[in-house]
Amino acid sequence: MLATLTSFSSLYLTTLLMMTGIGLFNTYMALRLNSEAVSAVWVGALIAAYYGGLVLGARLGHKLIIRVGHIRAYVACAAISTTMVLLQTLVLSLPVWLGFRLVAGVAMVTQLMVIESWFNEQTENQQRGRVFSFYMLISGLGTVMGQLALTAYPVLDLRPLTIVAICQAICLVPLALTARSHPAAQVPAPLDVKFFVGRVPMSLVALFVAGNLSGAFYGLAPVYAAQQGYSTSQAAIFVAVAVMAGLLAQWPMGWLSDRLNRARLIRVNALLIVILVLPMWGWLNLPFWLLLAFSAGFGALQFTLYPLGAAFANDHMEAERRVGLAAILLMAYGLGACLGPLVAGLFMDLGGSGMFFVFSSLCAAILVAFMRPEKVTGEHRVDEAPVQFVPAPDGLQSSPMSATMDPRSDPALDVYVETVAVDNTPVTETEGPPAPAAPPAAEPSAADLPVAEPPHAGPPLAGPPLAEPPLAEPPAAGSPLAGPPSSGTEPEAGSGPPGPAKPQA
């Protein structure tokens, strides 16, 4: 365990800082807008836009990584994420904020893809399950730390946003200074959506419902607590308790899923959600400690739906298609996370804060009605079923690249993965092309030497006759008129053209 943490310490630390900033910002934004009497629909729309960026930005992130490399893509997207946070302190327009949150989601999914590419490239097959579990655990802990950090700021001023910006900026340092080699990019091939819908329809519905629950919870659970009369610190603790309970419930739920019918276990899980949240519909005035107990139970049930649905789907999918399966499951989960906050916000605007958990009950009831264990034929059940349960409390704390880290899949054999080499070498400046060298001066030949012309015999001039001109003296040594030396020596070495200039380091 300790060796796993230390060997990937820079990547784990980067993930922890990122998720701390995200968890803090989402809760702060919900509480700040609620304090200014902004409609719950707008609060839900902002978190939905962020999740929409996470879902839609994966393809763009792949192209950026292939074009500029992993570290440069990560640095650029971290700068964009920080800028989107700070711009919300300068621009006070909710429609513009929707664009900010969408861009932030695209940047964040690219950052997650860079981290998960490193994990996948440098993890041995026998360690994939442990490394992936730690990664999801660190992601959840970061979300919890973000809630706890908000408890230090009972007044909703701009100071929490400063902490968010610091987390987004400082998470650059561990990754930028890592000594690990750069991974290759794995680009997903087009998915056969119709095939997966026909093969695992129940799992897709389970993941869609889980996305509705999780998206609504992260966006509007703080609003519910605030409208119930609790302080900023109490609202943050309410969210933190649910997330922590969801983390801790992964392992006992995994133990149960390896021994019980998974379709029936998902149905029982959803039925317990319907019953558990009844006291939180708004007709009871619960003390804070009891509200936290209900929050813990709700988190333990809600945040185990995603890994249960994924394990159930993998029981009925061949190994060479599981990366594509994970991507389509994450897409269903993400679409639910976009829709859930919008519908839950509308419910809360129409019926008050208690309608948040009425919405949660309705989602769980839909899952109870659709998840029918007797309809599972087992026709496509794989030989190794039940396959390994992999803890994953929240699918949107990772990118589609996390599918390649899943120990149940093999990216080298998967039909939906294509590995592309990425040039991560540093860019160096080079001088321009060298000027062509002048050709060496040719030795003058005897034929090229000037010949003295005889005196012009013109008409006689008046006066005494001219004297004959003196004989020309032989040219001095070294003069261009001198012929080649008689000793037959070779031209000096180095008189040829200079070599090409070396590039500048």
Side-chain angles (χ1 to χ4, degrees):
M1 175 178 177
L2 184 60
T4 302
L5 285 173
T6 55
S7 60
F8 294 100
S9 57
S10 61
L11 300 179
Y12 285 138
L13 181 58
T14 298
T15 304
L16 183 67
L17 291 169
M18 285 172 49
M19 292 303 160
T20 299
I22 295 170
L24 172 58
F25 181 79
N26 287 339
T27 302
Y28 166 83
M29 183 177 64
L31 293 175
R32 178 70 182 270
L33 293 177
N34 179 73
S35 68
E36 297 178 359
V38 175
S39 166
V41 174
W42 272 108
V43 179
L46 289 171
I47 194 69
Y50 172 72
Y51 286 142
L54 289 177
V55 174
L56 301 176
R59 289 283 178 178
L60 181 61
H62 277 298
K63 293 179 181 179
L64 181 63
I65 292 172
I66 293 173
R67 181 177 180 182
V68 303
H70 288 79
I71 286 186
R72 288 189 286 274
Y74 185 90
V75 170
C77 290
I80 292 172
S81 297
T82 307
T83 303
M84 293 301 104
V85 170
L86 296 178
L87 279 176
Q88 291 190 228
T89 66
L90 303 177
V91 181
L92 301 179
S93 171
L94 291 176
V96 177
W97 282 18
L98 288 176
F100 290 162
R101 299 310 296 151
L102 181 68
V103 173
V106 174
M108 182 55 60
V109 75
T110 305
Q111 291 178 261
L112 293 172
M113 287 165 57
V114 170
I115 294 174
E116 291 160 7
S117 296
W118 250 299
F119 275 124
N120 178 66
E121 180 79 10
Q122 301 186 20
T123 302
E124 298 179 0
N125 286 335
Q126 64 270 22
Q127 293 181 326
R128 296 168 73 87
R130 182 180 300 176
V131 170
F132 183 76
S133 298
F134 273 119
Y135 173 63
M136 299 308 297
L137 176 63
I138 294 295
S139 297
L141 287 177
T143 304
V144 172
M145 288 177 60
Q147 313 308 312
L148 298 179
L150 189 58
T151 61
Y153 301 96
V155 179
L156 294 171
D157 53 18
L158 297 181
R159 290 178 297 169
L161 285 183
T162 305
I163 301 299
V164 175
I166 290 173
C167 289
Q168 295 297 320
I170 204 68
C171 73
L172 286 166
V173 177
L175 196 67
L177 298 181
T178 183
R180 291 187 170 274
S181 59
H182 298 272
Q186 291 179 327
V187 181
L191 298 176
D192 187 355
V193 177
K194 185 177 180 180
F195 167 79
F196 289 113
V197 171
R199 178 69 69 88
V200 289
M202 289 189 186
S203 296
L204 289 173
V205 171
L207 270 293
F208 180 75
V209 171
N212 275 269
L213 290 171
S214 295
F217 181 83
Y218 281 121
L220 295 168
V223 176
Y224 166 84
Q227 292 184 358
Q228 290 292 313
Y230 297 108
S231 66
T232 297
S233 299
Q234 289 174 321
I237 292 173
F238 172 74
V239 177
V241 167
V243 177
M244 180 58 73
L247 281 176
L248 298 178
Q250 298 293 309
W251 287 271
M253 189 63 73
W255 184 86
L256 286 173
S257 75
D258 290 340
R259 290 159 176 79
L260 302 176
N261 182 288
R262 284 175 171 169
R264 184 171 289 108
L265 188 58
I266 293 172
R267 194 180 192 194
V268 171
N269 189 318
L271 181 61
L272 290 177
I273 291 177
V274 173
I275 298 171
L276 181 69
V277 300
L278 290 177
M280 293 189 284
W281 279 16
W283 52 38
L284 296 176
N285 188 14
L286 301 176
F288 185 61
W289 66 268
L290 187 56
L291 182 69
L292 293 183
F294 280 115
S295 176
F298 179 70
L301 295 170
Q302 168 188 292
F303 290 116
T304 51
L305 280 177
Y306 180 87
L308 280 174
F312 179 51
N314 278 277
D315 285 342
H316 302 270
M317 190 62 59
E318 298 82 4
E320 65 271 13
R321 293 180 178 269
R322 286 178 182 164
V323 172
L325 172 66
I328 204 73
L329 292 177
L330 189 60
M331 185 182 299
Y333 186 85
L335 292 176
C338 293
L339 179 63
L342 294 173
V343 178
L346 181 61
F347 275 35
M348 294 176 73
D349 274 355
L350 295 176
S353 60
M355 294 299 289
F356 170 74
F357 282 106
V358 174
F359 168 78
S360 300
S361 294
L362 289 176
C363 288
I366 291 173
L367 188 55
V368 171
F370 193 85
M371 189 64 60
R372 307 297 293 273
E374 63 274 11
K375 290 188 176 182
V376 180
T377 62
E379 178 183 356
H380 301 288
R381 186 178 173 89
V382 297
D383 294 337
E384 65 268 28
V387 298
Q388 179 182 356
F389 177 93
V390 177
D394 185 5
L396 291 179
Q397 290 178 352
S398 60
S399 77
M401 188 61 65
S402 63
T404 60
M405 297 168 55
D406 194 320
R408 297 169 294 203
S409 62
D410 188 352
L413 302 177
D414 202 280
V415 297
Y416 295 106
V417 175
E418 176 186 358
T419 302
V420 177
V422 178
D423 183 11
N424 286 288
T425 56
V427 178
T428 58
E429 295 182 0
T430 57
E431 297 177 352
E443 291 288 345
S445 61
D448 296 330
L449 294 177
V451 180
E453 296 182 1
H456 177 71
L461 299 175
L466 294 174
E468 292 185 7
L471 296 174
E473 297 181 0
S479 170
L481 300 179
S486 59
S487 59
T489 57
E490 296 289 332
E492 292 183 7
S495 61
K502 295 183 178 179
Q504 179 180 343

